[in-house]
Structure formats: structure tokens, C-alpha cells
Amino acid sequence: MCVLCLSWRMLRRDARAGELHLLLAALTVAVAALAAVGFFADRVRQALTRESHQLLGADLLLTADHPWRAEIADQARARGLRVAETRTFPSMVAHAAEDGQRAQLAEIKAVATGYPLRGSLRIAPTANSADAPAAGVPERGTIWVDERLAAALAVKVGSSVGVGQIRLRVAALLTLEPDRGINFFSVAPRLLMNLDDLPATGLLQVGSRVAYRLLLAGDDSAIRRFQADLERRLQRGQRMESPENGRPEIRSALERAEKFLGLAGLLSVVLAAVAVGLAARRYVERHLDGCAVMRCLGAVQNLLLRLYLGQLAMLGVFAVALGVLIGYLAHFVLHAWLADLLAMSLPPPSLLPAGQGAAIGLLLLFGFAVPPFLQLRKVSTLRVLRRELGPPQGSFMAGYLLGLLALSGLICWLAGELQLGLTIVGGFLIALLAFALVARLAVRAAAALRSRRAFVSTRPLQLGWRYGLASLERRATASVVQIVAMALGFMALLLLTVIRGDLLEAWRRAVPADAPNRFVVNIQPEQREPVRTALLADGIDAELAPMVRGRLTRINDQEVSPANYTDDRAQRLIEREFNLSVRRAMPEGNEASAGRWFTLAELNERSSGAVASVEDGLARTLSLAVGDQLEFLVAGEPVRVRIVGLRKVNWDTMRANFFVLTPPLLLEGYPASWITSFHLPSGREDVVSRLMGEFPNLTVIDVAAIVQQLQSIMQQVARAIQFVFLFTLAAGVIVLHAALASAADERRYELAVMRALGARREQLRRALLTEFAVVGGLAGLLAAFAAMGVGEFLASRVFHFELAANPWLPPLAMIGGAALVTAAGWFAAARLLQAPPIEVLRNGSS
């Protein structure tokens, strides 16, 4: 008979008997979890590739924090390239609406004729109307605003908006910028204006943060030659972006989001691997008799192996197909929840995620299901006569080791970095070992508890408890596996619900109720006193601090560049200009963490005041210490300072804080702008309108609105991650069921023996409930402490605030875990009590 045909018949028989349901469920959940993330990530990746040139608006983008030399554009034109110029910066804009003066922070983009060189702008005549490609850029004297800005200012086409020192007419609503990309990288709404109108606004002053961009387009070969020639001449603060490396913040953020979602799905795979191993082990033990009979009828070892591996392969194909289908449908949920973060249409997904899902299914099958199946070929024919013979004792740990290595490789692949992947693998293994150790000690302690005098009784109630605790120790390995698996699932759920809520609440508590919620920047030196006077007239006593822009060029006489650091944040800090400021006294919310503050001589004598106090987080990032010499390039002149102290800054005070502070005399005479922050009570928005009316060049940043929008974005991403973790929860339940089912035959025989010896069903019911409650309670307790530990780590190392311990979480998690596991376990094991003891005893223990 054809081996595949016989394997198919065996598969159908076992499927009808329910022997393969756990294997099928575990494989399907694992494939579906990563397929859902894979399909969504693939669509985003295709969209970025398809619109790579449009994401730049050009074939090559030159970006700098200072104006590009005119000869750069001239050289590009001489090589036959098209050139366009843009300047982008934040500023306040205002409109006299019917209900009063309205002001709003906007991201202003001034564009020259010819922009964009790739793709097209799209505009609409009114809100909620069909848009169309724009013919050129806004004409002089006009602007285009996006719908968010139009709604905030209550403007419509034809309205007049104050931009700096001039007023411009709204000519259209901007619906699409090809090079804007993703909304959450531009928190403020957008205003598009003609570059020729920019000088009249008076918005570009000393200290203004402007991104100067040159867009180039043309023949590929000419672009490459110009790129190679210019790359050798780039200066500090200048960079080039191409479709291959363009919009690195977008690609980096999307890659991080993809990795995070992928790692969330990977937890489902890890739990599913445990379930596959347990289910395969149970399947093998239940088919030992059948294999022994087949051996007696002449089946050789290789034939048995081919039959069962063929059956396993067909099951795997079905599970992969089902998992890919579920993942494909589930990815639409991710797309719906994250659609607000995307400003581009997504193409249909490719078949690549389906192939990845198939690879995951095969990895789980052959890494964690095949090793137990290899034992079937070693079944002795004597088992037909001696059913007490256990399964073959051949070593199959090598097979599991290969599976673990493959799973580790998958983790490293999803992490995207070998070091990060190995860190995750190491941390995961340590967590598993810690959970397993604590679970084993707890099981041993529970077993020892039953021998205490309080439990040594023949009363029915205490007999049930004693039998339940003894059962944990008899099946110690299975109990530990159940506890560890469920603890991982519970921990993920707690992190995404309770701990996340605690983090948000702790963050809100860390911000004082009267913390500044408005920042005013771009204050010019001659406006310092008038701005202070205007604020005092409205009852606001705000402190103004100077900002002097300087670029860090040397540390201890060694020239520094981004190439000196591997950390992304350190590279960005070295690349950009710092805002240096001065203080006579330690600012509020700052405390010394090393060294000292400035002495009277340093504060009052210019010659001895070449010192600085540095924020300790910056010092750690750049590997700075007290005594180091720093050199900044300020207005073209070198300024050398010596670090005399480090400060720990409480950024949650929302005050104007700075990385580097110096005595006042050191930076005297250098170009500076001023900044202030203050708390504006609700209903006092007229203060901002009056301030903007008197000083139109100022930029007022509504921190509360920005934080609220970022919180909204975080909630959307968190919902998507919680959706992926539903697969994790399903995998955890499957692990529990697999672990319970793996001991079902042994448990059935034990219960039958105990009933034959006089135990009543009520006593056995208490024993089962005790066992399930202890397993669930320990899993919940472990998960609670682990989740609290991870939450504390995130609070202190990532968010930099203290997370108050939630004393109710461990007992609640223990009770919840006990209730959930008891309910699931009882559902799976209740029918064992219904089996007649005589029937079970006749069939034996296996």
C-alpha cells in the first residue's frame, strides 16, 4: 500500500478521534500570530519601496541645519539635474475668527517653484471635498493649509492668516505632500507657502531651527556621480538622503514597530513550541500499542517512521494553510487600528509572509514534534504482551536542542540585530530558568505542606486537599511546565493592561498640576523685556533663559564625529547643535549627581568661568566625566569649557532645562535667542493670542496638546500590540490544555484506582481543583512579580520616573490565575470522573 495513502488514512482516523487537535491548534496559532504581523509589515514595506522617490520628493535630498552654498545648486544644474529648494520650521500662525483671535503652532514649509521633483501635491477647494493634483506651488501672497490647521484656526479658503509679520490668503486645503510620509513625525499641522514670501514674514531669526533642503532629480547615472562627488565635501550638519537610505526616521521607526510586533508574535511561537512538544509527546505515548502491533505484523522501523512523519507533514501543511488564512484576515485589524498613523495607501501583501509562516510551522514541527516521533521506530514488539513497558528511552534531546537553536535564530532574525537577539534569547532563557526554579521549589513546598499535622486527617475535606498537593509532586515536571508557560502568558497580559496603566498614571503623577504647559521660543534679545512685561500684565511671572547654539567639536582635545559612537542617540547629539545656556544658581528640578556647582569666582570672573555643568544622562551617552574638556563651535569661534559637575534633571517639571549650563559671563556677547515656559490655566487662551499679536515671530508650543496627541498614538499602537498578544494568550491556554492532556491517561488511571479503593467523587473533585488552583495561583504570582519588575525597569531606565509598587497586583493576579486555570483545567478533566473505574482498570494505565 502507498505510504502516503496509509498516512492519510491514519491522519483522518486520528483527526476524527481528536488525537491531533492540540497539535493543529498550537501550529495554527503560531503561524497566524507571525503571519498577521508579517502581512501588515510587508504591505508597509512595499509601500515604502513603491513610493521611495515620492517619500523624498526627489531622487536625492540634501538636508542641513544651515543654508546650502549657492554653488552646490549651480553644480547640480550644470550636470543636467533639476533643483528645488524648501525650508521647514515650526512657528505660530493666527487668524481672527468669529469667536475671537485663534493661534496655533504649525509646521511651515516654504517651497520654491518646481517642488516637488517627484510625486505631486494634492489640494482640495473645501473641506471634505474631492482633491486633485496641484499645478505648481502656492502663488505669492497665498498659502495652503492642511485640514488640521484649518479646523484649529476655523479658516476656510479665502480667509486671511497671520504668518509672522504679514498676512497671507488661504488658497486651498492641502491633502497630500509626497515627502511628508507619516503623520506622527510631524506633530504640528502643516502650512505650505511660497519661498519668495518667507523674508517678509521675519520668522527666520537667530536661534530659529530651520531645516534647509535641496531636492535634486535627473538621470540615475548623473545622480550617482553627483552624490559620490558631494559626499566627500559634506560638512557638519549636512547629510544626503536617497531612496535607498531616505527618510531614515520613517524606516527606522517602522522597522522598530515591526520588530516589536514581531517579538510580540514570537512569544506566541515560543509558547506554541512548548505546546507542540507536549502534544506530540502525548500522541506518541497513545500510539505505542499500535506501533507494537504493526511491528508484530512485519512493519520495519523505517516504514513506521515514514508513516508517522508523512502524517505529521500533512497535518503541518493544513495547519500552515489555516494559520496563514487567519493571519491574513487578522492583519486587516492591525491595518484598521494603525491606519491613522499612515498617510499613504498600502498595496496588497505579497506571498512572502505566507512563506515565512510555512517556515515557522516547519520549524515547530521538525524542531519540537519530530523528536518524540522518532521514538516510535524503537517500540518493542514485547509491548503487545507487556503493556507496562513505558516508551522507548532513547535520547531525543539532540532533536530538541536543534529546535531550540532554530528558535533562537528566529528570535535573532526578528530582532534584526545579533546582539539584541542574543540579549533577548539570554534574557528569555534566564526568565525560564528562574520561573522553573521557583515553580519547582513551590511544588516541593506544597508537597511538604501536606505532611504537616494540620493536613494529616481522614476527614474527606482534608483528604481532597492532600491528594491534590501530592499529585503536584508526582507529576512535578508537568506541573512546572504548566506553571512556567502560564506565567509567561499572564506576564504578557499584565504588562499590557495593569502595568501599562500604572506607568501612565505614574507619569501623570510625576507632572505637577501647575507644571508649565506652554513654551515660548525664538524670543530675540531686544524682545526680552517687552515679552516679560506683556506676560506680567496677564499675571504670568515667567523666567526667560538665553539659548546660544553651539556644536560640540572636541572632547579632551580629540576631534569628535558621529563615527566615534555606535549608539544612535549619541550620533544624533554629535551631529546636531546644542542649546547652551547660563545660570547663576542651580535650576529648580536639578540636583547635583557628581562634582559641584559653580564657585563665586567662576560666576564673577570671566577668566576663571570657562566651566560647565552637564546633564548626567548626556554624560552617560557621550561617556563624559567630571574634569573632561569640551570645545564648542559658537558663531564660528571655539569655546572651551571644563566639566566641573553633573546634574540630574527632573524633566517632568516641564521647565526649560538644558544639557549644558555655564556661568553667565562665558557666553556674553554671542548671538542668542531666549526661551521661557509657563503654566496657562484652561480658558486663558486669549493670553497666547495677545502675545502673538504683539510679537508675531514668537513660537508658542502647546505641550499639553502635543502630549495628548502622542498619548493617542501610543494608545493606538498599544491596542495593536494587545491584539497580537491575543495569540499569545491563546497559545498559553493551549499549553495549559496540552500539559493537562499529557497526563490525562495517567490521571484517569489514578482516579479509577482511588475510586476502586473507596474514594468518593467529591474527594477527587477537591483534589483536582486543589491541583489546578495551585498551578494557576503560582503562575499568576510569578507573572505579577515579573511584570512589576519589568515595569519598574521601564519606569526607571526608559521613562525616568519612579513607579509606585502596586501591592494589590500579586494577590489579585494569584486569585485570577487560580480561577482561570481551575476553570480551564476542570473543563478538560471533568469527564475523567465520569469514566467507570472497572472500564479504566481493564484498559490499563496507557
Side-chain angles (χ1 to χ4, degrees):
M1 183 180 295
C2 173
V3 174
L4 287 179
C5 294
L6 184 55
S7 294
W8 171 246
R9 292 179 61 185
M10 293 170 59
L11 177 64
R12 293 176 57 191
R13 180 200 64 193
D14 289 340
R16 287 194 300 267
E19 297 285 345
L20 297 171
H21 290 172
L22 283 177
L23 267 176
L24 177 63
L27 289 172
T28 301
V29 166
V31 174
L34 287 189
V37 176
F39 278 120
F40 177 73
D42 182 70
R43 294 181 67 182
V44 174
R45 194 181 303 112
Q46 284 191 72
L48 289 175
T49 302
R50 183 191 64 186
E51 302 182 9
S52 57
H53 290 266
Q54 294 188 20
L55 285 171
L56 297 178
D59 295 332
L60 185 64
L61 178 63
L62 309 181
T63 304
D65 55 10
H66 56 274
W68 289 90
R69 302 190 308 274
E71 59 263 26
I72 299 295
D74 294 338
Q75 293 171 6
R77 294 188 181 96
R79 299 192 183 198
L81 302 178
R82 292 183 292 136
V83 181
E85 181 182 359
T86 70
R87 298 183 184 182
T88 306
F89 56 93
S91 183
M92 298 295 293
V93 295
H95 170 61
E98 295 180 358
D99 58 350
Q101 184 81 0
R102 293 196 179 192
Q104 173 65 41
L105 175 68
E107 187 170 353
I108 299 177
K109 178 188 281 188
V111 299
T113 302
Y115 167 86
L117 301 180
R118 299 293 184 196
S120 64
L121 297 163
R122 296 184 69 88
I123 56 176
T126 59
N128 301 318
S129 62
D131 63 353
V137 298
E139 297 179 357
R140 293 198 62 176
T142 66
I143 57 175
W144 298 344
V145 300
D146 65 10
E147 292 188 5
R148 292 168 56 203
L149 184 57
L153 295 178
V155 301
K156 57 184 178 180
V157 173
S159 300
S160 177
V161 174
V163 183
Q165 299 176 3
I166 63 174
R167 302 194 70 81
L168 300 172
R169 180 176 60 86
V170 178
L173 295 183
L174 180 64
T175 60
L176 176 66
E177 291 174 77
D179 60 336
R180 189 172 185 181
I182 295 180
N183 287 340
F184 57 82
F185 293 105
S186 301
V187 174
R190 184 62 64 96
L191 182 151
L192 201 69
M193 64 181 295
N194 194 295
L195 185 62
D196 293 336
D197 287 328
L198 185 57
T201 64
L203 292 176
L204 299 191
Q205 305 283 346
V206 173
S208 298
R209 289 198 171 274
V210 185
Y212 298 85
R213 292 186 173 92
L214 284 180
L215 293 80
L216 309 177
D219 182 71
D220 286 345
S221 59
I223 287 287
R224 292 193 186 94
R225 287 194 298 270
F226 182 80
Q227 182 177 2
D229 178 61
L230 183 61
E231 192 169 11
R232 297 189 295 269
R233 297 182 288 150
L234 287 179
Q235 302 175 359
R236 293 286 296 271
Q238 299 177 340
R239 68 178 187 274
M240 291 189 296
E241 299 176 11
S242 64
E244 290 74 27
N245 65 0
R247 303 304 297 268
E249 74 281 9
I250 293 179
R251 293 184 181 272
S252 176
L254 286 175
E255 287 173 1
R256 285 196 295 268
E258 177 187 342
K259 291 174 187 175
F260 192 47
L261 289 172
L263 290 173
L266 188 60
L267 183 55
S268 305
V269 176
V270 173
L271 292 176
V274 177
V276 167
L278 291 173
R281 182 70 174 170
R282 177 174 184 262
Y283 179 86
V284 168
E285 291 178 352
R286 290 173 63 87
H287 285 73
L288 293 176
D289 292 344
C291 289
V293 172
M294 294 173 70
R295 288 289 308 277
C296 290
L297 296 177
V300 297
Q301 291 182 345
N302 288 336
L303 176 60
L304 286 177
L305 188 60
R306 290 200 303 271
L307 283 174
Y308 281 99
L309 290 184
Q311 182 181 2
L312 193 62
M314 286 185 279
L315 175 70
V317 170
F318 180 75
V320 166
L322 182 59
V324 168
L325 176 61
I326 295 175
Y328 178 76
L329 297 176
H331 100 275
F332 287 108
V333 179
L334 290 177
H335 179 265
W337 279 344
L338 299 178
D340 292 343
L341 305 184
L342 303 172
M344 54 187 173
S345 60
L346 300 183
S350 68
L351 294 178
L352 179 61
Q356 294 172 338
I360 293 165
L362 292 175
L363 185 151
L364 293 180
L365 267 178
F366 292 97
F368 297 94
V370 169
F373 272 66
L374 293 177
Q375 291 186 298
L376 291 175
R377 61 185 299 188
K378 302 178 181 179
V379 175
S380 172
T381 55
L382 292 176
R383 185 176 174 86
V384 174
L385 300 176
R386 299 179 58 190
R387 299 188 63 197
E388 71 275 9
L389 290 176
Q393 298 302 315
S395 174
F396 53 92
M397 289 305 297
Y400 280 134
L401 182 60
L402 290 176
L404 288 173
L405 290 176
L407 192 60
S408 300
L410 179 64
I411 294 176
C412 294
W413 173 49
L414 288 173
E417 302 174 9
L418 180 60
Q419 182 177 0
L420 176 61
L422 293 177
T423 301
I424 294 172
V425 171
F428 186 75
L429 291 177
I430 292 174
L432 280 179
L433 291 175
F435 279 4
L437 178 61
V438 174
R440 185 66 186 92
L441 293 176
V443 168
R444 178 66 61 84
L449 184 64
R450 71 184 181 90
S451 62
R452 293 177 63 89
R453 177 173 299 180
F455 285 87
V456 178
S457 172
T458 58
R459 288 186 293 177
L461 178 62
Q462 293 192 358
L463 280 175
W465 281 85
R466 289 180 59 201
Y467 292 154
L469 295 177
S471 181
L472 285 173
E473 180 64 23
R474 284 198 305 272
R475 283 181 292 272
T477 301
S479 300
V480 169
V481 169
Q482 293 175 42
I483 294 170
V484 171
M486 291 309 300
L488 290 173
F490 288 154
M491 182 184 71
L493 194 61
L494 290 174
L495 280 173
L496 289 173
T497 53
V498 179
I499 298 299
R500 189 196 66 181
D502 288 346
L503 285 172
L504 289 174
E505 184 60 30
W507 181 52
R508 295 189 185 101
R509 289 196 306 266
V511 180
D514 59 347
N517 55 10
R518 299 294 192 280
F519 279 79
V520 182
V521 299
N522 211 26
I523 305 172
Q524 299 306 302
E526 65 275 10
Q527 297 175 323
R528 177 187 174 189
E529 290 305 322
V531 167
R532 186 197 302 275
T533 302
L535 291 175
L536 283 174
D538 284 309
I540 298 174
D541 186 9
E543 178 188 13
L544 276 69
M547 294 193 305
V548 177
R549 298 181 67 178
R551 188 181 301 279
L552 181 61
T553 57
R554 291 179 177 274
I555 300 177
N556 294 329
D557 296 323
Q558 298 292 322
E559 187 171 349
V560 295
S561 69
N564 297 122
Y565 298 90
T566 57
D567 180 68
D568 290 341
R569 182 170 183 265
Q571 292 176 346
R572 291 194 300 269
L573 288 169
I574 295 297
E575 182 69 26
R576 75 173 199 179
E577 289 185 322
F578 285 82
N579 281 325
L580 312 178
S581 191
V582 302
R583 284 290 192 282
R584 293 192 64 86
M586 181 85 72
E588 184 179 350
N590 290 225
E591 62 181 37
S593 58
R596 58 176 176 81
W597 185 245
F598 309 136
T599 64
L600 287 177
E602 292 166 345
L603 290 171
N604 299 321
E605 299 176 14
R606 190 182 184 97
S607 58
S608 61
V611 294
S613 174
V614 177
E615 192 262 339
D616 59 0
L618 174 70
R620 288 193 301 270
T621 302
L622 299 183
S623 301
L624 303 177
V626 174
D628 285 348
Q629 298 282 342
L630 307 180
E631 182 177 301
F632 293 91
L633 190 64
V634 180
E637 298 182 8
V639 175
R640 293 179 60 86
V641 295
R642 177 173 55 88
I643 300 176
V644 295
L646 302 180
R647 292 171 291 112
K648 183 178 181 181
V649 178
N650 181 11
W651 299 98
D652 294 322
T653 61
M654 303 301 288
R655 299 182 180 275
N657 289 302
F658 297 89
F659 287 131
V660 180
L661 295 176
T662 71
L665 294 177
L666 180 65
L667 298 179
E668 193 174 58
Y670 289 100
S673 62
W674 294 73
I675 182 175
T676 188
S677 63
F678 56 86
H679 176 74
L680 187 66
S682 179
R684 295 289 309 278
E685 288 75 12
D686 58 308
V687 174
V688 175
S689 299
R690 285 194 295 272
L691 189 66
M692 291 302 305
E694 188 174 353
F695 308 99
N697 66 293
L698 302 185
T699 297
V700 181
I701 303 174
D702 185 350
V703 181
I706 294 176
V707 170
Q708 184 177 4
Q709 185 169 5
L710 292 177
Q711 281 183 316
S712 175
I713 292 171
M714 182 184 66
Q715 293 290 346
Q716 293 181 60
V717 176
R719 283 198 305 171
I721 295 171
Q722 281 180 306
F723 174 73
V724 176
F725 267 94
L726 290 178
F727 293 103
T728 303
L729 184 61
V733 173
I734 293 172
V735 167
L736 170 65
H737 188 56
L740 293 173
S742 65
D745 295 321
E746 181 183 358
R747 193 190 304 274
R748 181 184 294 109
Y749 186 77
E750 289 180 356
L751 292 175
V753 171
M754 294 174 69
R755 288 185 62 191
L757 294 176
R760 294 192 297 271
R761 286 184 179 179
E762 183 62 28
Q763 293 174 322
L764 300 180
R765 185 178 294 112
R766 290 196 185 99
L768 290 176
L769 292 178
T770 299
E771 182 179 351
F772 297 148
V774 171
V775 169
L778 285 175
L781 194 63
L782 284 174
F785 283 113
M788 291 171 64
V790 174
E792 177 62 32
F793 175 83
L794 292 175
S796 61
R797 299 296 181 89
V798 178
F799 300 110
H800 305 294
F801 58 74
E802 293 183 1
L803 177 65
N806 185 350
W808 292 104
L809 184 59
L812 290 178
M814 183 172 64
I815 295 172
L820 179 62
V821 175
T822 300
W826 180 251
F827 178 79
R831 67 178 185 274
L832 299 182
L833 292 176
Q834 305 303 322
I838 187 64
E839 180 180 333
V840 175
L841 294 175
R842 284 174 178 173
N843 291 331
S845 62
S846 59

